[in-house]
Amino acid sequence: MASYFDLHVHAAMKAFMGGKDDDDRKDCWGRDKKNDGGGRTMFGIQSNLTQLSKGNVEIAVATFYAIEKAFLKPNGLKFISEKIDGWVKFFDPEMMDHAEKYGYLKTTLGEIRHVILSQNLGPNKNFNLMGDISEVDPTRLNIILSIEGSHGLQEKDSDDKPEKIVENFKLLKDGGTELWKRKYPDFEVGKLRFLYLTLTHMVPMGIASHANSLKGKAALGDLTQYYPEGIGLSKYGIEIVDDAYDKKLGGYRMFIDIKHMSLTARKDFYQ
């Protein structure tokens, strides 16, 4: 039987955002039938670890994404979703304010923590968390970590301070120990490796100009908050790229995912 590789899957987002604390959240293996809505909406069919395992996926890159503040504003994608997809119903109301309440970094680490807590829950609920191809276990699902959007490394109180993102990226690539101590001091986890960082996403963060992905009608809300700012890679973006490919930092090289980057930013990256 053929086995598969999934390069980008949100295996934990709906489970993590669906509850305000551990007791209120489902693990990353289950499907929320109550909120499935027939299973045809964007968030209704978000993948989970059971689907990956039953689908004979041997290696999956689990990506972790802190939804940007602009999306959660009354005139942001929260407004759009109520008109189109209705994804807000899958999230706990308190978690809709996560960016303001916790900051992006704690949200990103919280989602990573949630998938790790789902690692060994039983004979049919276990996966291998790998940091190197030599660690593949052919008998079960293998998970590699990645992060979508460098904004996910921003502190709550560091808006418009991309140098803090650079600082936290260095700590993350070096194993992340200091970040875990800062945000989840009671959570014990070894040094983690990440396959890639998606450098930018859908709102400006001072790292790299992003592709304008939300051009639309006024009926969809205020889209100006998603418009790109700057041109190409900033000095902070260049520093992150250099650190990602520096094997001395953390003992490995991390890929930079150029998805969402503008044409000029991509050209800067290749140069």
Side-chain angles (χ1 to χ4, degrees):
M1 181 182 293
S3 59
Y4 300 94
F5 170 68
D6 194 325
L7 182 61
H8 183 99
V9 58
H10 292 280
M13 182 167 64
K14 192 168 72 170
F16 176 72
M17 293 291 290
K20 59 183 177 294
D21 53 41
D22 289 342
D23 293 335
D24 198 37
R25 291 180 181 126
K26 298 179 181 296
D27 62 51
C28 296
W29 294 90
R31 194 176 200 182
D32 189 349
K33 296 180 179 179
K34 180 183 69 173
N35 288 330
D36 220 14
R40 302 316 308 163
T41 64
M42 177 175 65
F43 279 79
I45 59 174
Q46 281 287 305
S47 188
N48 57 51
L49 299 178
T50 297
Q51 290 171 322
L52 292 172
S53 184
K54 288 185 176 181
N56 209 32
V57 173
E58 184 174 358
I59 302 175
V61 183
T63 193
F64 302 95
Y65 162 62
I67 300 175
E68 289 106 315
K69 296 177 183 179
F71 284 15
L72 303 176
K73 292 179 179 178
N75 60 348
L77 279 188
K78 181 178 179 182
F79 168 79
I80 297 174
S81 82
E82 291 169 350
K83 288 181 169 291
I84 300 175
D85 193 60
W87 58 259
V88 292
K89 71 179 181 180
F90 297 107
F91 296 160
D92 184 276
E94 289 191 29
M95 292 304 293
M96 295 298 289
D97 296 322
H98 71 90
E100 298 290 349
K101 194 172 183 179
Y102 307 114
Y104 291 130
L105 178 61
K106 186 169 184 178
T107 302
T108 300
L109 294 180
E111 193 175 328
I112 295 170
R113 173 181 174 274
H114 193 58
V115 82
I116 292 175
L117 289 175
S118 298
Q119 186 173 4
N120 294 301
L121 300 181
N124 297 317
K125 287 186 174 184
N126 71 87
F127 64 85
N128 175 44
L129 182 62
M130 55 180 284
D132 187 271
I133 194 64
S134 64
E135 300 172 359
V136 171
D137 182 347
T139 67
R140 55 181 174 157
L141 174 65
N142 296 273
I143 295 292
I144 311 173
L145 307 178
S146 68
I147 292 180
E148 185 169 26
S150 57
H151 71 280
L153 301 175
Q154 188 183 54
E155 300 280 359
K156 178 182 179 183
D157 58 353
S158 64
D159 285 354
D160 303 318
K161 295 181 180 178
E163 58 267 31
K164 192 64 179 179
I165 296 177
V166 176
E167 177 186 326
N168 286 338
F169 177 75
K170 292 178 188 292
L171 294 173
L172 178 84
K173 189 164 182 281
D174 201 30
T177 304
E178 292 302 315
L179 297 181
W180 289 108
K181 286 181 180 178
R182 191 190 309 165
K183 298 300 180 182
Y184 292 93
D186 297 329
F187 183 59
E188 296 184 5
V189 63
K191 290 189 174 183
L192 300 176
R193 283 190 171 194
F194 294 80
L195 181 63
Y196 63 78
L197 167 71
T198 305
L199 197 60
T200 190
H201 198 239
M202 298 176 76
V203 297
M205 295 301 298
I207 300 297
S209 55
H210 64 281
N212 191 353
S213 56
L214 285 173
K215 300 176 183 178
K217 301 177 181 178
L220 293 181
D222 177 16
L223 300 182
T224 60
Q225 56 199 329
Y226 308 106
Y227 289 173
E229 293 179 4
I231 300 175
L233 286 178
S234 70
K235 64 179 182 179
Y236 305 107
I238 292 172
E239 187 171 355
I240 288 177
V241 171
D242 288 343
D243 286 339
Y245 289 98
D246 182 0
K247 195 172 183 179
K248 293 179 182 178
L249 181 60
Y252 73 106
R253 294 186 177 95
M254 185 191 301
F255 290 117
I256 292 294
D257 174 18
I258 66 172
K259 181 173 73 267
H260 297 292
M261 285 167 58
S262 69
L263 176 61
T264 304
R266 295 180 190 216
K267 288 181 177 179
D268 288 347
F269 171 80
Y270 286 122
Q271 291 173 355

